[in-house]
Amino acid sequence: MNGTQFWSLAVSAIFVQNLVLIYFLWDGSFYEAIKKPRTGLAYGLLVTAATTVTSIFCWLLNRFVLRPFSLTFLAPAAFVVIIVLLAAAVRFIVKLASPNHMEGILKILPTSAFGCAVLGLVLINVQMNTRGFFGTAFYGFCAGIGYLAAIFLVMSALERVRFSSPPSVFKGLPIALVTASLISLGLMGFSGIVIPY
Amino acid sequence: MNKTKKSKIQSLEGMKIKNSVRRLVSENPVFVRAVVIVPVLGAASSLKSGILISACMILTVLLLNLAMYPLSKVVPKRFINITAFLTAGIVVTPVCMLANYIAPAVAPLCGIYLPLLSVCALPMIEKRYYGAKYGIFKTAFYALFDGAGFAVAAVIFAVIREVIGNGTLYDRPLPGFSKFKFSFALAPAGAFLLLGFICAMFRKIFGMKEDNGEGMK
């Protein structure tokens, strides 16, 4: 893959196929993440790390075990096992590196690793099995960046909504969904760009 | 049967029904608790896919709760989240295979959202099922109603989305609607907007909290 292809892959992962606003991978923990900028940043970075590393390992598993032995029907269970093992490894490393200062990360690690975004991205990668090893890893990284961008886009939009007065039945989830809809509409403008993947 | 025993049984039955209906309406996992909106937004774009994803969700939640019931008594508390995640991954695999076998034409329409039910079903294993508070039958009963709450929401959303976006219902053209398709409803932005409006309507109809929106989280 050349530089242009990597660039188009990045645009695709961050905007055209944004995990939150286009693929709807928006779960309960996303709500927690958009409450405070600091939590949002930590959560977004953890998800980015998780999507990158999981994409790599799941690509290897799919390429060398599941496809050659026709075991693709076991993919969901196999990917879940990989995610659990990687989360356990990260927990172990973080505890070893800094047992006292990383408690905050250890608290949000399960929700970020076991959320919809990580498993969803891995399943998307398997569906579009044309990117190769580096393409898949890079796509995983950029999709995580897209998730982080979505956190801050939705957070700042909801910050403005807080100072307005929507109808009382729209307060809370409905107005958040309407706001997400408008941002998603903006991102749909990128879908006219032709990307060779 | 004496009077006290009879009234106790009646009140217990009343509580059961009340609790079950609560799971469909005031504790709806999509419109109120918003814990499983991913498969609704992603997969429920037509009535057929809405029915399939609903059936798969009910089966997944039921199996997951039944599997977690004995496991929660054996596994230490600090490993319970990992165990639940692993169990969900194992449970959803046969559910996906069954969906592909029963509805081979509709299952691909659900795409990644069918295996994603494993993650989405996790919030429906509520903490109270982990302990020995409920028996196995009561756990299964409530799991069934939790799944049914999701199914109600998914089918309502799928019907509205298909009628507005495609002008059809169950792939049959509807007179009056088929000429005025509003395909925006089938796009991601349309799905968010539609769900937002349905949530607000649901809230208005059932007279839920209208003060600060906290009740919707």
Side-chain angles (χ1 to χ4, degrees):
Chain A
M1 286 177 82
N2 58 32
T4 319
Q5 287 172 322
F6 271 108
W7 174 244
S8 61
L9 205 57
V11 173
S12 170
I14 297 171
F15 301 111
V16 184
Q17 298 174 345
N18 189 287
L19 286 183
V20 178
L21 299 163
I22 304 294
Y23 275 110
F24 314 112
L25 300 178
W26 154 316
D27 50 11
S29 48
F30 186 82
Y31 260 122
E32 294 303 313
I34 58 174
K35 277 182 183 167
K36 286 178 192 167
R38 204 180 156 86
T39 319
L41 183 66
Y43 189 79
L45 290 176
L46 265 179
V47 168
T48 306
T51 49
T52 312
V53 179
T54 315
S55 294
I56 293 169
F57 280 90
C58 289
W59 186 87
L60 291 171
L61 183 79
N62 189 46
R63 175 76 176 77
F64 295 109
V65 181
L66 297 180
R67 277 185 182 268
F69 296 103
S70 304
L71 294 171
T72 42
F73 64 94
L74 287 178
F79 295 154
V80 162
V81 172
I82 292 270
I83 292 170
V84 167
L85 289 177
L86 288 173
V90 169
R91 193 182 175 83
F92 182 71
I93 292 166
V94 166
K95 269 195 168 178
L96 268 185
S98 177
N100 298 326
H101 300 101
M102 298 288 191
E103 275 183 14
I105 288 180
L106 291 179
K107 262 186 192 171
I108 57 171
L109 182 67
T111 47
S112 56
F114 304 156
C116 284
V118 180
L119 184 63
L121 176 80
V122 171
L123 293 167
I124 292 166
N125 276 337
V126 170
Q127 259 190 356
M128 300 174 184
N129 193 33
T130 52
R131 294 186 188 121
F133 178 76
F134 291 107
T136 304
F138 186 68
Y139 185 83
F141 173 73
C142 292
I145 297 293
Y147 193 90
L148 186 64
I151 286 177
F152 280 95
L153 277 173
V154 175
M155 191 192 292
S156 42
L158 288 179
E159 191 68 36
R160 291 183 74 90
V161 169
R162 199 174 293 165
F163 294 108
S164 62
S165 52
S168 55
V169 283
F170 272 91
K171 281 180 182 169
L173 178 73
I175 197 71
L177 287 168
V178 172
T179 311
S181 159
L182 294 175
I183 301 170
S184 176
L185 191 64
L187 291 186
M188 275 170 68
F190 284 95
S191 60
I193 298 169
V194 179
I195 290 167
Y197 293 100
Chain B
M1 197 183 292
N2 60 23
K3 260 187 180 176
T4 350
K5 207 171 178 183
K6 205 176 173 182
S7 63
K8 203 176 174 184
I9 289 171
Q10 276 176 347
S11 69
L12 271 174
E13 278 173 354
M15 207 171 75
K16 245 185 197 176
I17 292 164
K18 207 176 166 185
N19 279 348
S20 315
V21 175
R22 213 173 58 194
R23 274 152 214 275
L24 297 181
V25 181
S26 62
E27 278 184 17
N28 189 290
V30 179
F31 295 146
V32 182
R33 285 163 61 204
V35 287
V36 275
I37 58 174
V38 177
V40 175
L41 286 168
S45 56
S46 68
L47 184 55
K48 278 183 180 175
S49 56
I51 291 172
L52 183 69
I53 201 92
S54 302
C56 289
M57 180 56 114
I58 292 174
L59 199 59
T60 308
V61 173
L62 188 66
L63 291 175
L64 190 56
N65 276 288
L66 289 178
M68 281 308 292
Y69 184 79
L71 284 174
S72 62
K73 291 178 178 172
V74 185
V75 177
K77 257 191 176 175
R78 63 192 177 117
F79 295 122
I80 206 81
N81 282 338
I82 291 176
T83 313
F85 190 54
L86 279 172
T87 314
I90 292 163
V91 159
V92 88
T93 306
V95 173
C96 287
M97 288 162 70
L98 194 68
N100 277 299
Y101 178 74
I102 292 172
V106 187
L109 298 178
C110 296
I112 60 162
Y113 301 98
L114 215 49
L116 257 185
L117 289 181
S118 58
V119 183
C120 299
L122 283 179
M124 294 208 204
I125 329 169
E126 290 173 44
K127 283 216 167 82
R128 56 178 174 251
Y129 300 141
Y130 290 157
K133 197 180 171 185
Y134 293 158
I136 187 113
F137 290 111
K138 208 169 177 181
T139 304
F141 185 73
Y142 283 150
L144 206 63
F145 270 88
D146 263 340
F150 171 86
V152 167
V155 169
I156 291 172
F157 185 72
V159 167
I160 296 174
R161 208 171 165 196
E162 190 182 351
V163 169
I164 296 176
N166 221 9
T168 58
L169 188 61
Y170 209 74
D171 286 352
R172 289 189 178 86
L174 283 179
F177 282 95
S178 49
K179 283 182 184 171
F180 304 103
K181 291 176 191 172
F182 188 51
S183 49
F184 174 70
L186 296 175
F192 277 121
L193 192 69
L194 209 58
L195 189 63
F197 273 88
I198 296 172
C199 282
M201 272 168 59
F202 195 81
R203 227 169 145 185
K204 188 77 184 169
I205 291 166
F206 293 103
M208 286 171 196
K209 272 188 183 177
E210 293 185 10
D211 48 355
N212 55 8
E214 287 301 312
M216 298 298 289
K217 289 182 184 174

